[in-house]
C-alpha cells in the first residue's frame, strides 16, 4: 500500500472546556467555633480560630473566578486538602451531635441558575448540604473542570509541546472525573446534584478521554501547524484511521451515556448532545477516509473498490454531521469555554472542508475505476471493521491524589490540637495498608484469569471442539455453521492465507467473475459496433461515388473511393480478425469459469458422500483419504464458512480404546469417547462463569474500602498512650478476611477445573488423533484453499487481461471510425465542389450556344434587309442649304438603316477539358504485426494508424 495524495492533516479542532461550579458565600467561623466550644471547651476552641479563618479565606479565594485557570486550580486544590484535614478533625453532618449548621450551596455547572443542595439524607436534611464529602465533591468537580480549561487553553496550534500539555491535562481531568464517579476519595456513596452524579462524572470522563485522544490524532496527522523548515513526516493512513476511530469511540461512549440516562438527557441542552454526536460521527468519517487511503495501492490500483466504499460511507457520515450541526450554531462551544487551541476553525467549516475533500477524491477514484480498473465496489458492511488504537487513559488515582489532593505540610498544620500528629500518621498508614491489601487481592484474580486464558490457548480450546464432526455448537438451529466454528477453522490456517481468504471471500467470487464476464461481453459488443459503423460509412461513400460516376461519366474525374480506402478497409479486416480471435478466447474463458464454479453439470458431485458404516472406518478414512472435492475448484470459495467446509472434521477412533476388544466396530458412545467433548464444554463453561464472578468480587473489595473508616475510633481517644496501633489495624483488617477467602476459593476452584480439563484434553487428543489430524488434514485443507485462491486470482487476471485488450481495441476502433468519418466528410465536400464545377460548365456551354444562335439570326436578318434595299428605286433628297455645306465637301446622306447595336460579344466558351485528378494518394499500409496467438491468450491491441484525410492534400 502507498499513501494517497489525499491530505490527512485536518482535524475539527474545537474542544470542550467544562465550566466550574459557582457557590454561595458561607461563614464558617460561627458554626465551627460553637461546635468546638461545645465539644472541646473555650480554651481548646480558641486555638482553632486562626485555622477556621484560614479555611474561610481559602474558600473565598477558591470561589473567586477572576484569576487565570491555573491560579484557580491551585486555590481549589489547596481548599480541598484543607477540607480533607477538617474532615478528620470535625465531623460535619445533619446529626445533632455533629456540626450541623453549615449549609453548602452550589450552583449547577451546566445550569448556572439552578442550585444543587447536596445532602446526605434527602428526606430529613435541611435546605442545604451539611456534609464535608459533598463540599469536597463540588470542589473536586471544579478541579477537574479547571483541568479541562487548562487543556483547551494550551497552544496546540503553535507547538507540539502544547499538544502534549493539552492531552495530559485532559487525561488528568478524566482521572479526576473518574474519582468523582467512584467517590472513593470522598468517602460518600452518592450525591444529589446532577453535575456531580456518578452518571454525569462517567460521561465527562469519556468526553475528556475523547479530547485527549483527539490531541493525539492532531499530533499523528501533523495538523498542529508547528513551524519547521523540515518536510512534514510521512503519515501512515492505517495509524490515522485507528487513532481517529478511537476518538469516535470515546465520543460515542459519551453520547450514549447522555442519551441513555433519563437524568442526563433531560439536564443537558440539545446543543451539547448534538455537538458530541457530531464529533463522534465526524471522526468516524476521518477514520473511513484514512482507511480508504490505506486500502488503495496507487501503483496497481488494488483496493480501489474498498476505497470507494469507504469514501461513500464517509460522505454519508458528513451528511449526518451536517444534520447534527443544525442544532449547533457556527460559533458554539458546547460548554461556553473558549477553545484556545484551534477554535478558529469551527466544526461547520471542518465538515464542509472534509466533505469537499471526500467528494473530490471519490470523483477521481470513481473515474479511474470506471475507465481503468473496473473493480467491484463491495458493500461497506462487508469490509473489515477499523480497529481502534487507544493512546490515552485516565491518569491513575494515586498519581492524581499525590499531585493535587494529598495533604501537604501547610494543610497538616490545621487543627493540630484536635487530632495528634500520631493519629493522622496512623490513619494514613492504615489507608496504605488497605490499599495494598486490595491491590494484592485484585492482582491475584487478574493473574489467575490470565493464566487460565493462556492455558486454554495452549490447548486450542474451545476451537478444537468446534471442529469435531457433528458437534452441536458448530451449527445453529438452521443448520448453518456458527461464526465461532468458522473462526476456529480459519485459525488453523497460516496468517497469510487467512488474510488472502478474507479478501477473496469478501469479493464474492462467483458474482465477481460473472460481472467480469458481462463486462467482457459488453466491451466486445461495443468494439463490433464500432467496426460495423466504420464499414457502413465507407460503403455508403463508395456507393454515392459510383452513382455520380455513372451520371457524369468521364467528366467525373476524381479517384475512385475503393482506391482510397484500401488501407482503412484492411485495418477494419485486421481488427475484425483480432476480435474474432478474442471472442474465441472469451468463450474458452467462460467455459473455464463455469466449469470451475460448478455450472457445467458438476453440482451433483459437490454432495458429500454418505457417512461410513461405523466410526472406526470413518476415523481410518479421515487419515487415509482426502475429503471429496467438488467438480469446480472455485465452488468452496463461494460457500459461507469456506475453511470450515474444506477442513476435514475431527472424528473419534477406537483403535486405542481396547487392544483386546474383538468387536472393532463397537459404538464410540458406548466406549465413552463421544462424551469427552461434552464434558470439556461443561468444564469450559464453569471456567467462564468463574471468571465472570470475579468482577463483582473486585467491586466488593472496593466497596468495603469505601465503607471503612477508623477515624471515629481515633477521635474517640483510642490513640492514647499505650495504644497498640498494629493490633488495632489487624483487628480492623479482619473485616476483609471473608472477601480474601472468596478470592482464594476462586483461585483454588480454577486450579481444580484446569487439572480436570488437562486430563480430558489429553483423552480428547488421543481419542480424536489431533496430532495426526494436524499433520494430514490441516495441510491438505490449506493446500486446497491455496490452490482455489490462486485459481480465482488466475481467472480474475485473465478477465482483467481481456478487459484491457477490449478497452485498447475500442479506443483503436473508435479512432478508425473517426478517420472514416473524416474521410467521408472530405469526400462529400469534394463531391459538392466537383458537381458545382460540372454544372457551371454545362451552363456556360448552353449560354455560348444561345449567343451563337442569336448572332446567326442577326446576320441572317441583316442579309435579308440588304437584299430588299437593292430592289427599291433611289429616293431623291433635297439638297442641303449652301450656307451650311462647306465647299468641296461631299454630300451627306442619312443612313437608310442604322447599324445593329450589340453589346460586347460574350467570351468564348471555356474549354472544359478533363481536370487533373485530385492528388489523393493512397494511405500507407497499416503497420500491424502478425495476428494474436490463439485463445485464451488475448493479443495485444492493434496500434492506431492515423489515416490521411484526402482533403488535406
Amino acid at each position: 500500500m502507498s499513501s494517497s495524495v489525499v491530505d490527512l492533516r485536518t482535524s475539527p479542532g474545537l474542544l470542550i472546556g467544562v465550566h466550574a461550579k459557582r457557590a454561595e458565600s458561607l461563614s464558617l467561623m460561627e458554626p465551627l467555633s460553637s461546635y468546638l466550644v461545645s465539644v472541646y471547651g473555650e480554651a481548646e476552641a480558641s486555638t482553632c480560630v486562626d485555622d477556621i479563618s484560614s479555611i474561610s479565606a481559602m474558600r473565598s479565594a477558591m470561589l473567586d473566578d477572576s484569576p487565570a485557570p491555573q491560579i484557580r486550580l491551585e486555590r481549589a486544590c489547596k481548599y480541598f486538602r484543607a477540607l480533607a484535614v477538617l474532615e478528620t478533625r470535625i465531623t460535619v453532618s445533619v446529626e445533632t451531635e455533629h456540626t450541623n449548621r453549615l449549609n453548602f450551596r452550589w450552583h449547577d455547572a451546566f445550569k448556572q441558575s439552578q442550585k444543587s443542595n447536596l445532602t446526605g439524607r434527602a428526606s430529613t436534611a435541611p435546605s442545604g448540604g451539611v456534609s464535608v464529602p459533598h463540599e469536597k465533591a463540588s470542589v473536586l468537580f471544579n478541579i477537574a473542570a479547571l483541568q479541562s480549561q487548562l487543556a483547551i487553553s494550551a497552544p496546540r496550534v503553535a507547538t507540539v509541546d502544547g499538544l502534549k500539555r493539552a492531552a495530559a491535562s485532559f487525561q488528568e481531568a478524566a482521572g479526576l472525573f473518574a474519582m468523582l464517579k467512584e467517590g472513593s476519595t470522598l468517602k460518600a456513596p452518592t450525591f444529589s446534584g446532577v453535575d456531580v452524579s456518578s452518571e454525569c462524572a462517567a460521561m465527562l470522563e469519556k468526553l475528556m478521554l475523547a479530547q485527549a485522544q483527539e490531541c493525539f490524532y492532531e499530533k499523528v496527522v501533523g495538523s498542529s501547524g508547528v513551524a519547521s523548515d523540515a518536510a512534514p513526516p510521512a503519515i501512515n493512513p492505517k495509524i490515522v484511521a485507528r487513532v481517529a476511530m478511537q476518538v469516535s469511540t470515546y465520543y460515542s461512549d459519551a453520547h450514549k451515556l447522555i442519551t441513555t440516562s433519563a437524568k442526563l438527557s433531560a439536564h443537558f441542552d440539545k446543543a451539547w448532545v448534538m455537538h458530541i454526536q457530531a464529533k463522534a460521527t465526524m471522526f468516524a468519517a476521518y477514520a473511513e477516509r484514512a482507511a480508504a487511503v490505506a486500502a488503495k495501492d496507487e501503483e496497481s490500483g488494488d483496493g480501489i473498490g474498498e476505497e470507494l466504499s469507504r469514501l461513500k460511507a464517509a460522505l454519508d457520515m458528513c451528511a449526518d454531521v451536517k444534520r447534527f450541526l443544525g442544532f449547533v450554531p457556527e460559533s458554539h462551544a458546547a460548554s461556553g469555554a473558549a477553545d484556545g487551541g484551534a477554535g478558529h476553525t469551527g466544526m461547520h467549516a471542518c465538515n464542509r472542508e472534509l466533505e469537499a475533500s471526500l467528494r473530490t477524491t471519490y470523483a477521481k477514484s470513481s473515474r479511474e475505476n470506471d475507465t481503468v480498473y473496473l473493480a467491484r465496489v463491495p458493500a461497506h458492511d462487508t469490509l473489515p471493521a477499523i480497529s481502534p488504537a487507544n493512546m490515552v487513559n485516565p491518569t491513575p488515582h494515586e498519581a492524581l491524589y499525590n499531585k493535587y489532593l494529598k495533604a501537604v505540610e501547610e494543610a497538616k498544620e490545621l487543627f493540630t490540637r484536635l487530632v495528634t500528629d500520631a493519629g493522622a500518621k496512623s490513619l494514613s498508614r492504615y489507608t496504605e495498608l488497605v490499599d495494598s491489601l486490595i491491590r494484592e487481592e485484585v492482582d491475584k484474580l487478574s493473574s489467575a484469569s490470565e493464566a487460565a486464558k493462556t492455558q486454554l490457548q495452549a490447548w486450542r480450546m474451545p476451537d478444537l471442539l468446534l471442529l469435531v464432526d457433528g458437534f452441536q455448537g458448530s451449527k445453529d438451529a438452521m443448520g448453518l455453521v456458527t461464526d465461532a466454528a468458522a473462526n476456529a477453522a480459519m485459525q488453523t490456517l497460516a496468517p497469510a492465507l487467512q488474510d488472502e481468504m478474507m479478501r477473496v471471500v469478501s469479493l464474492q467470487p462467483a458474482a465477481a467473475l460473472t460481472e467480469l464476464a458481462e463486462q467482457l461481453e459488453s466491451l466486445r459488443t461495443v468494439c463490433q459496433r464500432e467496426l460495423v459503423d466504420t464499414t457502413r460509412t465507407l460503403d455508403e461513400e463508395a456507393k454515392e461515388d459510383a452513382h455520380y460516376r455513372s451520371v457524369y461519366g468521364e467528366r467525373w474525374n476524381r479517384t475512385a473511393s475503393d482506391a482510397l480506402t484500401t488501407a482503412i478497409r484492411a485495418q477494419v479486416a485486421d481488427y475484425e480478425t483480432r476480435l474474432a480471435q478474442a471472442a474465441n478466447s472469451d468463450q474458452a474463458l467462460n467455459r473455464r469459469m463455469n466449469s470451475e464454479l460448478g455450472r457445467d453439470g458438476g453440482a451433483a458431485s459437490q454432495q458429500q458422500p454418505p457417512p461410513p458404516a461405523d466410526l472406526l472406518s470413518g476415523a481410518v478414512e479421515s487419515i487415509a483419504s482426502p475429503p471429496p472435492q467438488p467438480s469446480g475448484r472455485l465452488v468452496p470459495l463461494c460457500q459461507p464458512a469456506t475453511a470450515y467446509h474444506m477442513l476435514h472434521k475431527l472424528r473419534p477412533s477406537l483403535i486405542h480404546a481396547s487392544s483386546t476388544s474383538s468387536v472393532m466396530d463397537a459404538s464410540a458412545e458406548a466406549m465413552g469417547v463421544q462424551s469427552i467433548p461434552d464434558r470439556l464444554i461443561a468444564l469450559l463453561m464453569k471456567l467462564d462463569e468463574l471468571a465472570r464472578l470475579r468482577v463483582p468480587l473486585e467491586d466488593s473489595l472496593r466497596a468495603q474500602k469505601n465503607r471503612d473508616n477508623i477515624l471515629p475510633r481515633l477521635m474517640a481517644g483510642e490513640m492514647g498512650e499505650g495504644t497498640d496501633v498494629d493490633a488495632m489495624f489487624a483487628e480492623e483488617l479482619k473485616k476483609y478476611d471473608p472477601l480474601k477467602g472468596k478470592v482464594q476459593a476462586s483461585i483454588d476452584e480454577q486450579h481444580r477445573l484446569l487439572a480436570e480439563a488437562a486430563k480430558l484434553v489429553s483423552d480428547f487428543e488421543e481419542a480424536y488423533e489431533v496430532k495426526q489430524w494436524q499433520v494430514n488434514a490441516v495441510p491438505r485443507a490449506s493446500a486446497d484453499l491455496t490452490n482455489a485462491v490462486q485459481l480465482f486470482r488466475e481467472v480474475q487476471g485473465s478477465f482483467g487481461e481481456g478487459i484491457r485488450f477490449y478497452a485498447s481495441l475500442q479506443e483503436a476502433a473508435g479512432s478508425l471510425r473517426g478517420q472514416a468519418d473524416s474521410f467521408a466528410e472530405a469526400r462529400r465536400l469534394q463531391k459538392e465542389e466537383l458537381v458545382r464545377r460540372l454544372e457551371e460548365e454545362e451552363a456556360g456551354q448552353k449560354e455560348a450556344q444561345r449567343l451563337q444562335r442569336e448572332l446567326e439570326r442577326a446576320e441572317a436578318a441583316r442579309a435579308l434587309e440588304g437584299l430588299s434595299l437593292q430592289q427599291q428605286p433611289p429616293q431623291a433628297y433635297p439638297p442641303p442649304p449652301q450656307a451650311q455645306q462647306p465647299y468641296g465637301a461631299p454630300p451627306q446622306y442619312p443612313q437608310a438603316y442604322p447599324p445593329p447595336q450589340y453589346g460586347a460579344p460574350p467570351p468564348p466558351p471555356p474549354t472544359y477539358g478533363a481536370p487533373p485528378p485530385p492528388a489523393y494518394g493512397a494511405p500507407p499500409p497499416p503497420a500491424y504485426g502478425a495476428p494474436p496467438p490463439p485463445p485464451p491468450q488475448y493479443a495485444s491491441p492493434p496500434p492506431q494508424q492515423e489515416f490521411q484525410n484526402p482533403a488535406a492534400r
Side-chain angles (χ1 to χ4, degrees), residues 160-197:
V160 175
D161 183 63
L163 271 176
K164 294 180 179 179
R165 294 206 323 253
S169 295
F170 277 128
Q171 291 179 83
E172 288 188 356
L176 291 166
F177 281 122
M179 294 175 66
L180 180 62
K181 174 186 67 176
E182 297 176 5
S184 57
T185 305
L186 309 173
K187 296 187 180 294
T190 58
F191 308 107
S192 60
V194 176
D195 53 352
V196 292
S197 64

Side-chain angles (χ1 to χ4, degrees), residues 201-345:
M203 184 277 294
L204 292 174
E205 177 191 4
K206 293 296 183 182
L207 181 60
M208 295 300 106
L209 288 176
Q211 299 188 139
Q213 181 81 7
E214 186 174 346
C215 292
F216 274 91
Y217 173 82
E218 293 177 3
K219 183 176 184 297
V220 170
V221 301
S223 64
S224 61
V226 178
S228 175
D229 295 333
I235 301 176
N236 189 332
K238 292 183 178 179
I239 297 178
V240 173
R242 296 186 63 193
V243 174
M245 183 54 67
Q246 183 61 55
V247 179
S248 176
T249 301
Y250 275 136
Y251 276 117
S252 297
D253 292 343
H255 178 263
K256 182 178 180 181
L257 288 172
I258 292 182
T259 55
T260 56
S261 171
K263 183 190 300 184
L264 296 183
S265 60
H267 191 73
F268 282 92
D269 294 335
K270 193 167 187 178
W272 254 87
V273 182
M274 292 296 102
H275 178 97
I276 295 175
Q277 189 174 12
K279 270 298 190 80
T281 308
M282 184 179 294
F283 272 96
Y286 280 125
E288 291 293 342
R289 179 181 68 170
V293 173
K296 180 183 175 184
D297 191 312
E298 290 295 327
E299 296 180 358
S300 66
D302 290 343
I304 192 172
E306 180 179 349
E307 180 196 30
L308 289 172
S309 180
R310 292 193 182 277
L311 289 175
K312 180 60 172 62
L315 282 170
D316 294 341
M317 293 174 186
C318 285
D320 292 338
V321 172
K322 186 182 299 181
R323 178 166 51 86
F324 299 150
L325 292 179
F327 300 93
V328 183
E330 290 264 0
S331 59
H332 177 74
S335 67
D339 182 357
H344 58 279
T345 56

Side-chain angles (χ1 to χ4, degrees), residues 636-657:
L637 297 180
C638 304
Q639 300 174 346
T642 301
Y644 180 85
H645 291 294
M646 292 292 289
L647 186 65
H648 200 81
K649 307 305 177 296
L650 288 164
R651 293 180 178 176
S653 174
L654 298 183
I655 297 177
H656 71 283

Side-chain angles (χ1 to χ4, degrees), residues 127 268 304 313 478 502 550-551 651 721 754 803 821 858 873 876 896 905:
S127 61
F268 282 92
I304 192 172
M478 303 295 294
M502 292 178 64
S550 65
V551 172
R651 293 180 178 176
E721 293 293 335
L754 288 177
I803 290 173
D821 292 340

Side-chain angles (χ1 to χ4, degrees), residues 310-458:
R310 292 193 182 277
L311 289 175
K312 180 60 172 62
L315 282 170
D316 294 341
M317 293 174 186
C318 285
D320 292 338
V321 172
K322 186 182 299 181
R323 178 166 51 86
F324 299 150
L325 292 179
F327 300 93
V328 183
E330 290 264 0
S331 59
H332 177 74
S335 67
D339 182 357
H344 58 279
T345 56
M347 289 180 61
H348 297 75
C350 286
N351 187 56
R352 289 191 291 267
E353 178 184 354
L354 174 61
E355 185 177 11
S357 172
L358 288 170
R359 290 192 184 280
T360 301
T361 307
Y362 182 82
K364 177 178 178 295
S365 298
S366 182
R367 286 195 304 272
E368 291 179 356
N369 189 44
D370 292 342
T371 58
V372 180
Y373 304 112
L374 304 175
R376 178 179 172 273
V377 180
H380 183 261
D381 55 1
T382 63
L383 298 177
I386 301 174
S387 177
N390 185 32
M391 307 297 293
V392 298
N393 286 295
T395 304
H397 295 183
E398 184 176 0
L400 291 173
Y401 181 81
N402 293 332
K403 184 176 181 180
Y404 298 110
L405 310 179
K406 186 176 181 180
V408 295
E409 294 299 327
E410 180 183 2
K412 291 180 181 179
E413 296 296 325
L414 298 173
F415 305 104
T416 55
R417 296 291 186 91
L418 302 182
V419 179
T420 63
D421 293 339
K425 292 178 181 178
S426 297
L427 179 61
S428 176
R429 178 185 169 195
Y430 177 77
T431 303
E432 292 175 358
L433 289 175
V434 172
D435 290 340
S436 176
L437 183 148
I438 293 177
R439 186 165 49 251
E440 182 179 352
E441 297 303 315
V442 171
D443 289 344
K444 287 182 182 179
L445 293 176
S446 299
S447 299
S449 298
E450 189 63 29
K453 181 179 178 181
T454 303
Q455 184 60 67
L456 291 178
Q457 290 177 347

Side-chain angles (χ1 to χ4, degrees), residues 58 61-62 64 67 71-80:
M58 292 178 191
M62 183 267 303
D64 184 10
I71 298 176
R72 296 181 63 194
L73 174 64
E74 294 172 359
R75 292 178 177 180
C77 293
K78 184 177 181 180
Y79 179 60
F80 186 94

